[in-house]
Amino acid sequence: MPQAVKKNAEDRMDKAIGALKRDLTSLRAGRATPSLLDRIQVEYYGAMTPVNQLANLTTPDSRTLLIQPWDKSSMTSIEKAIMKSDLGLTPSNDGLVIRIVIPALTEERRADLVKMTKKFGEEAKIAIRNIRRDANDEIKKLEKAGISEDESRKHQEDIQKFTDKFVAEVEKVLAAKEKEIMEV
């Protein structure tokens, strides 16, 4: 039973790392990628819908995003959603497609992106620590239900070891993203 608790905690921590990586792909590092728009939600017929479900997203070159809405009436909604986002992008509409030219990053914007990266990293660490706490609570319940105190302590130490491993993984992912952002 304690093995299942540890395996569940480890799986959840791995998912937290995956969520961090997914969040970091939405931060731009000077190149145009469709994943920049992953967090953008557009109001479409009263429902909040991701942009990638309303349009075809392409990158004709390294600095341009091209959005081709399937329903032309959604163009203004998509434009407004992009303008309201924290990405700092300005879309231009030619009636058929929406173009977003990704400007070169300034030093100030790079610093802001690094701060956002660290914020995402801190949220991931908090999630990992919460998972550790939940797993330790389950182990303590098992201790009351019949496993020995020494065995309980050993399992909690194991949980702490892979918690440390995943926190180090968060640091590694953040360092790589920060390096990518600071490249000129």
Side-chain angles (χ1 to χ4, degrees):
M1 191 72 147
Q3 304 304 53
V5 170
K6 291 193 301 188
K7 179 69 176 147
N8 180 35
E10 194 169 12
D11 290 344
R12 289 175 58 203
M13 288 181 188
D14 194 40
K15 288 178 184 175
I17 296 290
L20 171 65
K21 288 178 180 177
R22 192 174 49 252
D23 286 344
L24 291 179
T25 60
S26 68
L27 292 179
R28 82 182 155 100
R31 291 183 298 277
T33 63
S35 63
L36 287 175
L37 303 177
D38 281 352
R39 293 184 296 146
I40 306 260
Q41 297 281 318
V42 179
E43 186 168 339
Y44 185 66
Y45 290 109
M48 296 309 283
T49 310
V51 171
N52 61 3
Q53 292 181 10
L54 296 174
N56 188 22
L57 306 174
T58 57
T59 53
D61 61 58
S62 66
R63 294 265 186 214
T64 308
L65 265 172
L66 198 63
I67 304 169
Q68 294 175 297
W70 295 309
D71 179 5
K72 300 297 180 205
S73 67
S74 66
M75 267 192 157
T76 56
S77 299
I78 292 172
E79 270 188 299
K80 286 179 186 175
I82 293 168
M83 294 287 278
K84 287 181 185 176
S85 73
D86 61 350
L87 295 175
L89 300 173
T90 306
S92 64
N93 177 351
D94 69 3
L96 298 173
V97 295
I98 298 171
R99 276 188 180 68
I100 301 174
V101 177
I102 308 295
L105 291 175
T106 63
E107 194 63 34
E108 182 181 316
R109 182 66 180 150
R110 287 178 198 274
D112 290 344
L113 289 173
V114 168
K115 285 180 188 174
M116 288 178 70
T117 301
K118 290 183 181 194
K119 181 181 142 242
F120 285 138
E122 195 55 43
E123 289 171 0
K125 289 178 189 177
I126 289 169
I128 289 169
R129 289 183 196 119
N130 287 339
I131 294 166
R132 176 192 59 196
R133 184 195 63 228
D134 294 344
N136 284 339
D137 289 347
E138 288 183 47
I139 295 292
K140 288 175 185 173
K141 286 179 187 173
L142 290 174
E143 183 181 339
K144 291 178 184 174
I147 66 170
S148 71
E149 192 175 317
D150 289 338
E151 191 177 351
S152 170
R153 186 167 294 124
K154 181 193 174 302
H155 291 301
Q156 289 180 32
E157 287 172 2
D158 291 345
I159 291 168
Q160 183 61 47
K161 283 178 188 172
F162 57 76
T163 299
D164 293 341
K165 179 183 89 170
F166 282 104
V167 168
E169 176 72 17
V170 167
E171 291 295 332
K172 191 170 88 174
V173 168
L174 291 177
K177 185 65 175 185
E178 191 172 328
K179 181 181 176 200
E180 178 186 339
I181 290 171
M182 295 310 280
E183 276 180 12
V184 177

